[in-house]
Amino acid sequence: NLVTRTQVVWAVLLQHAIQTALGIWWIEAKPTGEAVDHVAAMLRFAPVTASAIRHTFGDTLALRILAAKGAHALYTLYWWAIPASKFLLGIFIIDTWQYFLHRTVHMNGFLYRHFHSVHHRLYVPYAYGALYNHPLEGFFIDTFGALLAERIGHLSTREAMLLFGASTLKTVDDHCGYSLPWDPLQWFSGNNADYHDIHHQAIGIKSNFSQPFFVHWDVLLSTRMTRKDIEERRRKQQEKERKEE
């Protein structure tokens, strides 16, 4: 690595200070707890819920379903389905924003040399170096993407805290350098420590741009590299060298 651990710690503390300050400024004070009339809020979704059930099952069956399970369906929609959908939308926004900006700073020589190369001073990444980067890059790629997710997804303060916390934990885990079989953050996605380690190596520096959650953009845009791809590339190189001999 081309940077000391002390330098990494100070840079990461600066990044956290910037994110905390922006978070305090950005997040609006919103009513919570007893200040929210959840019953009235749930009832606003009743016409849409009833209409969807009628279009799906027909009027006769829909009346029986609504009579027996209508209240439960409305409760589930309000407390679980809508928050889960907003959370998944936030994940998609963060992944999309970070993929395309991350790819841009690699493909543009000026941006890479002056900004993103700071992060790649860590050839062998470790957990608390996850947010070691140039402050401007940290703002535009990490912080601003999270703010977009919060605003576009209309997240409540608690929903935003959950999304930002999960994003930070996933980013730290992806830089930890260990592919642990009992790590829950590496179960649900191929975007894990091993996947991101490839990106920090010379052979994979123009691949594996996806972060922090899923790898769909790498797959769709053909920028994904796996260990098998590396082995196959090395095998072809060895065959080429043998033929030249």
Side-chain angles (χ1 to χ4, degrees), residues 102 119 174-175 192-200 208 211:
H102 188 196
H119 181 68
D174 290 346
H175 287 80
N192 51 34
D194 182 62
Y195 188 83
H196 198 67
D197 272 2
I198 292 173
H199 174 73
H200 274 263
N208 295 8
Q211 57 184 45

Side-chain angles (χ1 to χ4, degrees), residues 13 41 44 48 56 60 67 72 80 82 85 94-95 97 99 123 134 138 145 151 167 188 198 201 210 224-225 228:
L13 289 175
R44 286 200 294 270
V48 176
T56 304
T60 303
H72 180 72
W80 293 100
I82 292 176
S85 298
I94 290 175
D95 271 354
W97 178 265
Y99 174 85
Y123 288 116
H134 192 285
R151 184 52 55 91
S167 177
F188 67 90
I198 292 173
Q201 298 171 13
S210 291
R224 184 184 187 186
M225 178 179 287
K228 289 183 179 179

Side-chain angles (χ1 to χ4, degrees), residues 97-115:
W97 178 265
Q98 293 202 14
Y99 174 85
F100 286 102
L101 263 70
H102 188 196
R103 183 171 180 173
T104 297
V105 297
H106 270 278
M107 298 305 179
N108 184 289
F110 176 84
L111 293 177
Y112 184 82
R113 287 192 305 272
H114 291 85
F115 297 99

Side-chain angles (χ1 to χ4, degrees), residues 143 178 198:
T143 308
Y178 295 95
I198 292 173

Side-chain angles (χ1 to χ4, degrees), residues 28 53 55 86 107 120 126 128 142 145 200 205-206 208 236:
E28 300 175 0
I53 293 175
H55 280 87
K86 291 162 69 177
M107 298 305 179
H120 278 272
Y126 42 83
Y128 63 86
D142 298 321
H200 274 263
I205 200 166
K206 295 295 180 69
N208 295 8
K236 290 180 179 179

